[in-house]
Amino acid sequence: MHQSGDPSVSGGIVRIRHAERAAVSHTGGAAQLESYQVFANERNIAITSGMQQALALLNAMPLPNGKTKVVVEQPGYHLFLAHLKLHNTPALGVERTARGVNLARLEALFKREDVRYFYTMPRFHNPLGTSLSNADKQRIVELANRYDVYIIEDDYLADFEQDAGQMPMYYDDTNQRVIYLKSYSKIMLPGLRVGVAVLPDALVGAFQQHKRTTDFDSSMISQAALELYITSGMFQRHRDEVRESYISNSRRLYTSLSKHAEPFLKPGTFVHPASVCMKAHIVLPNRITQASAAACLCGGHEGALSGELLPRENHEIECLQSGGGTDRGGRRALITDELSRA
């Protein structure tokens, strides 16, 4: 009934995919993945035990381009940076700010380095909370095609998008360069370790082999729970309720930051994105310490702040906590975590 023994779509994902189509009346006429503008054949879709497993498998397996290095955004997702460091994966950083990725540096890295893949969170970046424009996403896909680089698109917060015109990178991929990852944990609950990987044809076999040697099965209980939610229409109702709650909280946070923080910041350093979700960030001037800002914003709980950076001058990965992260100009970067703590 669900995925057992074979991580290919001959198992659980077919049931979920069929459940999505059976729930047409509840999903506004579109299947789950198609509602995110991700159109794929069933054989290219695999179930994983959450996003962390998908990332670990992709980093471990060889890619057809035969290259060795990876490019990650700076700052970036701290757990994946820690994974790369633990496994001694050669990694290069490219600057990501509220206004996007440094495309000139990205192209330079693709051109001169032996880049296997570029890992990116185009939508609701962790930890910045901002999203790339459609134009930037299209440009990155073009660069990947030109320089024979794969893209791992981590779309873990796709369910919180408010702009129907925002497309995933996968939508613009005509040469099977984009590996699309989708999580159900954020919109449902963290304990539901169900993720989806949409793979290029050339990667399906290797991914299946690596998945079998990792855990053999992805939780059939979690798959069954998700299938029930989709077919009953509960998923759509739950998603709408959770999304509206987070968006409402986020808008209040940005309104407060605009009123109380922006007047004291350097002009242009605070960006209020059109679509908001779980995270926000401001860039503090040197005269304000992160400790004092943490005490004001989080009631003294400095654990709600974190900054994750990959050093620009070497390939060693380092996860810097709230006291250490600075941007190129020396200004301390403040990252606010989940709004439930803000």
Short mmCIF file of all heavy atoms in Angstrom, two decimals, residues 4-66:
data_model
loop_
_atom_site.label_atom_id
_atom_site.label_comp_id
_atom_site.label_asym_id
_atom_site.label_seq_id
_atom_site.Cartn_x
_atom_site.Cartn_y
_atom_site.Cartn_z
N SER A 4 7.56 0.47 0.58
CA SER A 4 8.24 -0.51 1.42
C SER A 4 9.33 -1.19 0.62
O SER A 4 9.05 -1.90 -0.34
CB SER A 4 7.25 -1.55 1.94
OG SER A 4 7.91 -2.55 2.68
N GLY A 5 10.55 -0.95 1.00
CA GLY A 5 11.68 -1.64 0.39
C GLY A 5 12.21 -0.98 -0.85
O GLY A 5 13.37 -1.10 -1.15
N ASP A 6 11.40 -0.29 -1.59
CA ASP A 6 11.84 0.35 -2.83
C ASP A 6 11.48 1.81 -2.76
O ASP A 6 10.32 2.19 -2.72
CB ASP A 6 11.13 -0.29 -4.03
CG ASP A 6 11.66 0.25 -5.36
OD1 ASP A 6 12.44 1.22 -5.32
OD2 ASP A 6 11.28 -0.29 -6.40
N PRO A 7 12.49 2.70 -2.71
CA PRO A 7 12.22 4.12 -2.58
C PRO A 7 11.72 4.74 -3.87
O PRO A 7 11.48 5.93 -3.93
CB PRO A 7 13.59 4.71 -2.19
CG PRO A 7 14.57 3.78 -2.81
CD PRO A 7 13.94 2.41 -2.75
N SER A 8 11.58 3.97 -4.92
CA SER A 8 11.08 4.52 -6.17
C SER A 8 9.60 4.78 -6.05
O SER A 8 8.95 4.43 -5.09
CB SER A 8 11.33 3.54 -7.32
OG SER A 8 10.46 2.44 -7.20
N VAL A 9 9.04 5.36 -7.07
CA VAL A 9 7.64 5.72 -7.04
C VAL A 9 6.73 4.52 -7.19
O VAL A 9 5.51 4.67 -7.17
CB VAL A 9 7.32 6.76 -8.14
CG1 VAL A 9 8.07 8.04 -7.89
CG2 VAL A 9 7.67 6.19 -9.52
N SER A 10 7.27 3.33 -7.34
CA SER A 10 6.42 2.16 -7.39
C SER A 10 5.83 1.86 -6.02
O SER A 10 4.99 1.00 -5.88
CB SER A 10 7.23 0.94 -7.87
OG SER A 10 8.29 0.67 -6.98
N GLY A 11 6.29 2.58 -4.99
CA GLY A 11 5.78 2.39 -3.65
C GLY A 11 4.88 3.53 -3.22
O GLY A 11 3.94 3.89 -3.89
N GLY A 12 5.25 4.14 -2.09
CA GLY A 12 4.35 5.07 -1.43
C GLY A 12 3.96 6.28 -2.23
O GLY A 12 2.84 6.77 -2.11
N ILE A 13 4.88 6.81 -3.05
CA ILE A 13 4.56 8.06 -3.72
C ILE A 13 3.44 7.88 -4.73
O ILE A 13 2.68 8.80 -4.99
CB ILE A 13 5.81 8.67 -4.40
CG1 ILE A 13 5.52 10.10 -4.84
CG2 ILE A 13 6.27 7.81 -5.54
CD1 ILE A 13 5.14 11.01 -3.72
N VAL A 14 3.30 6.69 -5.30
CA VAL A 14 2.19 6.46 -6.22
C VAL A 14 0.87 6.60 -5.49
O VAL A 14 -0.08 7.20 -5.98
CB VAL A 14 2.31 5.08 -6.89
CG1 VAL A 14 1.04 4.74 -7.65
CG2 VAL A 14 3.48 5.06 -7.85
N ARG A 15 0.81 6.03 -4.27
CA ARG A 15 -0.41 6.14 -3.49
C ARG A 15 -0.70 7.59 -3.17
O ARG A 15 -1.84 8.04 -3.25
CB ARG A 15 -0.27 5.34 -2.21
CG ARG A 15 -0.23 3.84 -2.42
CD ARG A 15 -1.56 3.30 -2.86
NE ARG A 15 -2.61 3.66 -1.93
CZ ARG A 15 -3.77 3.04 -1.85
NH1 ARG A 15 -4.00 2.00 -2.64
NH2 ARG A 15 -4.68 3.43 -1.01
N ILE A 16 0.33 8.33 -2.76
CA ILE A 16 0.13 9.74 -2.44
C ILE A 16 -0.26 10.51 -3.69
O ILE A 16 -1.15 11.34 -3.68
CB ILE A 16 1.39 10.32 -1.79
CG1 ILE A 16 1.57 9.68 -0.41
CG2 ILE A 16 1.30 11.83 -1.66
CD1 ILE A 16 2.83 10.12 0.30
N ARG A 17 0.40 10.21 -4.80
CA ARG A 17 0.09 10.89 -6.05
C ARG A 17 -1.35 10.59 -6.47
O ARG A 17 -2.09 11.48 -6.87
CB ARG A 17 1.07 10.39 -7.14
CG ARG A 17 0.97 11.13 -8.44
CD ARG A 17 1.58 12.51 -8.36
NE ARG A 17 1.77 13.06 -9.68
CZ ARG A 17 2.17 14.28 -9.92
NH1 ARG A 17 2.41 15.09 -8.93
NH2 ARG A 17 2.33 14.71 -11.15
N HIS A 18 -1.75 9.32 -6.37
CA HIS A 18 -3.12 8.96 -6.70
C HIS A 18 -4.09 9.61 -5.73
O HIS A 18 -5.19 10.03 -6.11
CB HIS A 18 -3.29 7.45 -6.68
CG HIS A 18 -2.61 6.76 -7.83
ND1 HIS A 18 -2.48 5.40 -7.91
CD2 HIS A 18 -1.99 7.26 -8.94
CE1 HIS A 18 -1.83 5.08 -9.03
NE2 HIS A 18 -1.52 6.19 -9.65
N ALA A 19 -3.69 9.69 -4.47
CA ALA A 19 -4.55 10.35 -3.49
C ALA A 19 -4.74 11.82 -3.83
O ALA A 19 -5.84 12.36 -3.69
CB ALA A 19 -3.92 10.23 -2.09
N GLU A 20 -3.68 12.45 -4.31
CA GLU A 20 -3.80 13.84 -4.70
C GLU A 20 -4.83 14.00 -5.82
O GLU A 20 -5.67 14.90 -5.80
CB GLU A 20 -2.44 14.36 -5.19
CG GLU A 20 -1.41 14.46 -4.07
CD GLU A 20 -0.02 14.65 -4.60
OE1 GLU A 20 0.16 14.54 -5.83
OE2 GLU A 20 0.89 14.90 -3.80
N ARG A 21 -4.78 13.11 -6.79
CA ARG A 21 -5.70 13.22 -7.92
C ARG A 21 -7.13 12.86 -7.50
O ARG A 21 -8.09 13.42 -8.01
CB ARG A 21 -5.23 12.33 -9.06
CG ARG A 21 -3.87 12.76 -9.61
CD ARG A 21 -3.74 12.41 -11.08
NE ARG A 21 -2.46 12.87 -11.59
CZ ARG A 21 -2.28 14.04 -12.19
NH1 ARG A 21 -3.27 14.88 -12.32
NH2 ARG A 21 -1.09 14.38 -12.64
N ALA A 22 -7.25 11.92 -6.55
CA ALA A 22 -8.57 11.57 -6.05
C ALA A 22 -9.18 12.72 -5.27
O ALA A 22 -10.40 12.79 -5.10
CB ALA A 22 -8.50 10.33 -5.17
N ALA A 23 -8.34 13.62 -4.76
CA ALA A 23 -8.82 14.72 -3.94
C ALA A 23 -8.98 16.00 -4.74
O ALA A 23 -8.88 17.10 -4.21
CB ALA A 23 -7.85 14.96 -2.78
N VAL A 24 -9.23 15.89 -6.03
CA VAL A 24 -9.34 17.05 -6.91
C VAL A 24 -10.37 18.05 -6.39
O VAL A 24 -10.16 19.26 -6.39
CB VAL A 24 -9.68 16.61 -8.35
CG1 VAL A 24 -10.17 17.79 -9.17
CG2 VAL A 24 -8.45 16.02 -9.01
N SER A 25 -11.48 17.54 -5.92
CA SER A 25 -12.54 18.44 -5.48
C SER A 25 -12.11 19.24 -4.26
O SER A 25 -12.66 20.30 -3.98
CB SER A 25 -13.80 17.65 -5.12
OG SER A 25 -13.53 16.73 -4.08
N HIS A 26 -11.11 18.73 -3.51
CA HIS A 26 -10.68 19.42 -2.30
C HIS A 26 -9.49 20.33 -2.57
O HIS A 26 -9.18 21.18 -1.75
CB HIS A 26 -10.28 18.40 -1.22
CG HIS A 26 -11.39 17.48 -0.84
ND1 HIS A 26 -12.48 17.90 -0.12
CD2 HIS A 26 -11.58 16.15 -1.08
CE1 HIS A 26 -13.30 16.87 0.09
NE2 HIS A 26 -12.77 15.81 -0.48
N THR A 27 -8.78 20.14 -3.64
CA THR A 27 -7.55 20.89 -3.89
C THR A 27 -7.70 21.91 -5.01
O THR A 27 -6.72 22.39 -5.55
CB THR A 27 -6.40 19.93 -4.26
OG1 THR A 27 -6.78 19.18 -5.42
CG2 THR A 27 -6.09 19.00 -3.11
N GLY A 28 -8.90 22.26 -5.34
CA GLY A 28 -9.10 23.29 -6.34
C GLY A 28 -8.76 22.84 -7.74
O GLY A 28 -8.45 23.65 -8.60
N GLY A 29 -8.77 21.53 -8.00
CA GLY A 29 -8.58 21.04 -9.36
C GLY A 29 -7.15 20.75 -9.72
O GLY A 29 -6.82 20.55 -10.87
N ALA A 30 -6.24 20.73 -8.75
CA ALA A 30 -4.83 20.48 -9.05
C ALA A 30 -4.26 19.49 -8.05
O ALA A 30 -4.60 19.49 -6.89
CB ALA A 30 -4.03 21.78 -9.00
N ALA A 31 -3.38 18.63 -8.53
CA ALA A 31 -2.70 17.70 -7.64
C ALA A 31 -1.71 18.49 -6.78
O ALA A 31 -1.35 19.61 -7.08
CB ALA A 31 -1.98 16.64 -8.46
N GLN A 32 -1.28 17.84 -5.70
CA GLN A 32 -0.41 18.52 -4.75
C GLN A 32 0.82 19.13 -5.39
O GLN A 32 1.03 20.34 -5.30
CB GLN A 32 0.00 17.53 -3.66
CG GLN A 32 -1.03 17.33 -2.57
CD GLN A 32 -1.11 18.53 -1.67
OE1 GLN A 32 -0.09 19.03 -1.21
NE2 GLN A 32 -2.31 19.00 -1.41
N LEU A 33 1.64 18.35 -6.03
CA LEU A 33 2.86 18.89 -6.61
C LEU A 33 2.56 19.88 -7.73
O LEU A 33 3.26 20.88 -7.89
CB LEU A 33 3.76 17.76 -7.12
CG LEU A 33 4.50 16.97 -6.05
CD1 LEU A 33 5.29 15.83 -6.70
CD2 LEU A 33 5.43 17.86 -5.25
N GLU A 34 1.55 19.60 -8.50
CA GLU A 34 1.20 20.49 -9.60
C GLU A 34 0.70 21.84 -9.08
O GLU A 34 0.83 22.86 -9.77
CB GLU A 34 0.16 19.83 -10.50
CG GLU A 34 0.73 18.64 -11.26
CD GLU A 34 -0.31 17.90 -12.10
OE1 GLU A 34 -1.47 18.34 -12.11
OE2 GLU A 34 0.05 16.87 -12.71
N SER A 35 0.16 21.86 -7.87
CA SER A 35 -0.29 23.13 -7.30
C SER A 35 0.89 24.04 -6.97
O SER A 35 0.73 25.24 -6.77
CB SER A 35 -1.13 22.89 -6.04
OG SER A 35 -0.34 22.41 -4.97
N TYR A 36 2.11 23.47 -6.90
CA TYR A 36 3.33 24.25 -6.71
C TYR A 36 4.06 24.47 -8.04
O TYR A 36 5.23 24.87 -8.04
CB TYR A 36 4.27 23.53 -5.74
CG TYR A 36 3.61 23.07 -4.47
CD1 TYR A 36 3.57 21.72 -4.14
CD2 TYR A 36 3.01 23.98 -3.60
CE1 TYR A 36 2.96 21.28 -2.97
CE2 TYR A 36 2.39 23.55 -2.44
CZ TYR A 36 2.36 22.20 -2.13
OH TYR A 36 1.76 21.77 -0.97
N GLN A 37 3.39 24.19 -9.17
CA GLN A 37 3.98 24.32 -10.50
C GLN A 37 5.14 23.35 -10.70
O GLN A 37 6.13 23.66 -11.37
CB GLN A 37 4.42 25.77 -10.77
CG GLN A 37 3.30 26.79 -10.67
CD GLN A 37 2.16 26.48 -11.64
OE1 GLN A 37 2.38 26.28 -12.81
NE2 GLN A 37 0.93 26.46 -11.12
N VAL A 38 5.00 22.16 -10.12
CA VAL A 38 5.99 21.10 -10.30
C VAL A 38 5.30 19.96 -11.03
O VAL A 38 4.46 19.25 -10.47
CB VAL A 38 6.54 20.62 -8.95
CG1 VAL A 38 7.47 19.42 -9.15
CG2 VAL A 38 7.28 21.75 -8.24
N PHE A 39 5.62 19.80 -12.31
CA PHE A 39 5.00 18.79 -13.16
C PHE A 39 6.05 17.72 -13.46
O PHE A 39 7.06 18.00 -14.10
CB PHE A 39 4.48 19.42 -14.45
CG PHE A 39 3.47 20.51 -14.20
CD1 PHE A 39 3.88 21.84 -14.06
CD2 PHE A 39 2.12 20.23 -14.09
CE1 PHE A 39 2.96 22.85 -13.83
CE2 PHE A 39 1.18 21.23 -13.87
CZ PHE A 39 1.61 22.54 -13.73
N ALA A 40 5.79 16.50 -12.98
CA ALA A 40 6.79 15.45 -13.10
C ALA A 40 6.13 14.10 -13.32
O ALA A 40 4.99 13.87 -12.92
CB ALA A 40 7.65 15.40 -11.84
N ASN A 41 6.87 13.19 -13.96
CA ASN A 41 6.42 11.81 -14.10
C ASN A 41 6.59 11.10 -12.76
O ASN A 41 7.50 11.40 -11.99
CB ASN A 41 7.23 11.09 -15.17
CG ASN A 41 7.00 11.67 -16.55
OD1 ASN A 41 5.89 12.05 -16.89
ND2 ASN A 41 8.06 11.74 -17.35
N GLU A 42 5.72 10.13 -12.52
CA GLU A 42 5.76 9.42 -11.25
C GLU A 42 7.11 8.73 -11.02
O GLU A 42 7.59 8.65 -9.89
CB GLU A 42 4.61 8.41 -11.17
CG GLU A 42 3.25 9.07 -11.02
CD GLU A 42 2.10 8.08 -11.01
OE1 GLU A 42 2.35 6.87 -11.26
OE2 GLU A 42 0.97 8.48 -10.75
N ARG A 43 7.74 8.24 -12.09
CA ARG A 43 9.00 7.53 -11.92
C ARG A 43 10.11 8.46 -11.41
O ARG A 43 11.14 7.98 -10.91
CB ARG A 43 9.43 6.87 -13.23
CG ARG A 43 9.87 7.84 -14.31
CD ARG A 43 10.43 7.10 -15.54
NE ARG A 43 11.56 6.25 -15.19
CZ ARG A 43 12.81 6.69 -15.15
NH1 ARG A 43 13.10 7.95 -15.41
NH2 ARG A 43 13.80 5.84 -14.84
N ASN A 44 9.93 9.76 -11.54
CA ASN A 44 10.96 10.70 -11.11
C ASN A 44 10.74 11.20 -9.68
O ASN A 44 11.52 12.02 -9.19
CB ASN A 44 11.00 11.91 -12.06
CG ASN A 44 11.40 11.54 -13.46
OD1 ASN A 44 10.56 11.30 -14.32
ND2 ASN A 44 12.70 11.45 -13.71
N ILE A 45 9.69 10.71 -9.02
CA ILE A 45 9.34 11.21 -7.69
C ILE A 45 9.63 10.13 -6.66
O ILE A 45 9.21 8.99 -6.81
CB ILE A 45 7.86 11.62 -7.63
CG1 ILE A 45 7.53 12.59 -8.76
CG2 ILE A 45 7.54 12.25 -6.28
CD1 ILE A 45 6.05 12.88 -8.90
N ALA A 46 10.35 10.49 -5.60
CA ALA A 46 10.69 9.55 -4.53
C ALA A 46 10.30 10.13 -3.17
O ALA A 46 10.43 11.34 -2.94
CB ALA A 46 12.17 9.22 -4.56
N ILE A 47 9.85 9.24 -2.29
CA ILE A 47 9.56 9.59 -0.91
C ILE A 47 10.83 9.43 -0.08
O ILE A 47 11.57 8.46 -0.25
CB ILE A 47 8.45 8.69 -0.33
CG1 ILE A 47 7.09 9.08 -0.91
CG2 ILE A 47 8.40 8.77 1.18
CD1 ILE A 47 6.53 10.36 -0.35
N THR A 48 11.09 10.39 0.82
CA THR A 48 12.21 10.28 1.74
C THR A 48 11.72 10.50 3.16
O THR A 48 10.61 10.99 3.38
CB THR A 48 13.31 11.30 1.42
OG1 THR A 48 12.79 12.63 1.59
CG2 THR A 48 13.82 11.13 0.00
N SER A 49 12.57 10.16 4.11
CA SER A 49 12.24 10.38 5.52
C SER A 49 12.63 11.82 5.89
O SER A 49 13.55 12.07 6.68
CB SER A 49 12.98 9.37 6.40
OG SER A 49 12.62 8.05 6.04
N GLY A 50 11.93 12.75 5.29
CA GLY A 50 12.20 14.16 5.53
C GLY A 50 13.27 14.72 4.61
O GLY A 50 13.92 14.02 3.84
N MET A 51 13.46 16.05 4.70
CA MET A 51 14.40 16.75 3.83
C MET A 51 15.85 16.42 4.17
O MET A 51 16.70 16.36 3.28
CB MET A 51 14.17 18.25 3.94
CG MET A 51 12.78 18.70 3.51
SD MET A 51 12.58 18.61 1.73
CE MET A 51 13.30 20.17 1.26
N GLN A 52 16.13 16.21 5.46
CA GLN A 52 17.51 15.93 5.85
C GLN A 52 18.03 14.68 5.16
O GLN A 52 19.17 14.63 4.70
CB GLN A 52 17.61 15.79 7.36
CG GLN A 52 17.37 17.07 8.13
CD GLN A 52 18.35 18.16 7.78
OE1 GLN A 52 17.97 19.22 7.30
NE2 GLN A 52 19.62 17.90 7.99
N GLN A 53 17.20 13.65 5.08
CA GLN A 53 17.64 12.43 4.42
C GLN A 53 17.86 12.66 2.93
O GLN A 53 18.85 12.19 2.36
CB GLN A 53 16.63 11.30 4.62
CG GLN A 53 17.13 9.99 4.02
CD GLN A 53 16.10 8.89 4.02
OE1 GLN A 53 14.98 9.08 3.57
NE2 GLN A 53 16.48 7.73 4.52
N ALA A 54 16.96 13.40 2.30
CA ALA A 54 17.12 13.68 0.87
C ALA A 54 18.44 14.40 0.60
O ALA A 54 19.18 14.06 -0.33
CB ALA A 54 15.94 14.50 0.36
N LEU A 55 18.76 15.40 1.42
CA LEU A 55 20.01 16.14 1.24
C LEU A 55 21.22 15.25 1.47
O LEU A 55 22.21 15.32 0.72
CB LEU A 55 20.04 17.33 2.20
CG LEU A 55 19.06 18.47 1.89
CD1 LEU A 55 19.02 19.48 3.02
CD2 LEU A 55 19.42 19.15 0.59
N ALA A 56 21.15 14.41 2.49
CA ALA A 56 22.28 13.52 2.78
C ALA A 56 22.52 12.54 1.64
O ALA A 56 23.66 12.27 1.25
CB ALA A 56 22.03 12.77 4.09
N LEU A 57 21.44 11.99 1.08
CA LEU A 57 21.57 11.05 -0.02
C LEU A 57 22.15 11.72 -1.25
O LEU A 57 23.04 11.18 -1.92
CB LEU A 57 20.21 10.44 -0.35
CG LEU A 57 19.60 9.51 0.70
CD1 LEU A 57 18.18 9.12 0.29
CD2 LEU A 57 20.45 8.27 0.89
N LEU A 58 21.66 12.91 -1.57
CA LEU A 58 22.14 13.62 -2.75
C LEU A 58 23.60 14.00 -2.62
O LEU A 58 24.36 13.98 -3.60
CB LEU A 58 21.27 14.85 -3.00
CG LEU A 58 19.85 14.57 -3.48
CD1 LEU A 58 18.98 15.81 -3.38
CD2 LEU A 58 19.85 14.03 -4.91
N ASN A 59 24.01 14.37 -1.40
CA ASN A 59 25.41 14.73 -1.21
C ASN A 59 26.33 13.52 -1.30
O ASN A 59 27.48 13.63 -1.71
CB ASN A 59 25.60 15.43 0.14
CG ASN A 59 26.98 16.02 0.28
OD1 ASN A 59 27.41 16.83 -0.53
ND2 ASN A 59 27.70 15.61 1.32
N ALA A 60 25.81 12.34 -0.92
CA ALA A 60 26.63 11.13 -0.91
C ALA A 60 26.78 10.50 -2.28
O ALA A 60 27.81 9.87 -2.58
CB ALA A 60 26.03 10.11 0.06
N MET A 61 25.79 10.64 -3.13
CA MET A 61 25.80 9.92 -4.40
C MET A 61 26.55 10.70 -5.49
O MET A 61 26.58 11.94 -5.49
CB MET A 61 24.37 9.64 -4.87
CG MET A 61 23.52 10.89 -5.02
SD MET A 61 21.80 10.51 -5.44
CE MET A 61 21.91 10.45 -7.24
N PRO A 62 27.16 10.01 -6.43
CA PRO A 62 27.83 10.69 -7.54
C PRO A 62 26.81 11.28 -8.50
O PRO A 62 25.70 10.77 -8.65
CB PRO A 62 28.63 9.57 -8.20
CG PRO A 62 27.85 8.33 -7.90
CD PRO A 62 27.28 8.53 -6.52
N LEU A 63 27.18 12.38 -9.13
CA LEU A 63 26.33 13.00 -10.15
C LEU A 63 26.97 12.82 -11.52
O LEU A 63 28.20 12.67 -11.63
CB LEU A 63 26.12 14.48 -9.84
CG LEU A 63 25.41 14.81 -8.52
CD1 LEU A 63 25.21 16.31 -8.37
CD2 LEU A 63 24.08 14.08 -8.41
N PRO A 64 26.18 12.81 -12.57
CA PRO A 64 26.71 12.54 -13.91
C PRO A 64 27.79 13.49 -14.37
O PRO A 64 28.59 13.12 -15.25
CB PRO A 64 25.47 12.63 -14.80
CG PRO A 64 24.32 12.28 -13.90
CD PRO A 64 24.69 12.87 -12.57
N ASN A 65 27.85 14.71 -13.82
CA ASN A 65 28.89 15.63 -14.28
C ASN A 65 30.28 15.28 -13.73
O ASN A 65 31.28 15.86 -14.15
CB ASN A 65 28.52 17.08 -13.96
CG ASN A 65 28.32 17.34 -12.47
OD1 ASN A 65 28.73 16.54 -11.62
ND2 ASN A 65 27.68 18.45 -12.15
N GLY A 66 30.34 14.35 -12.77
CA GLY A 66 31.61 13.87 -12.27
C GLY A 66 32.42 14.89 -11.48
O GLY A 66 33.62 14.69 -11.24
#
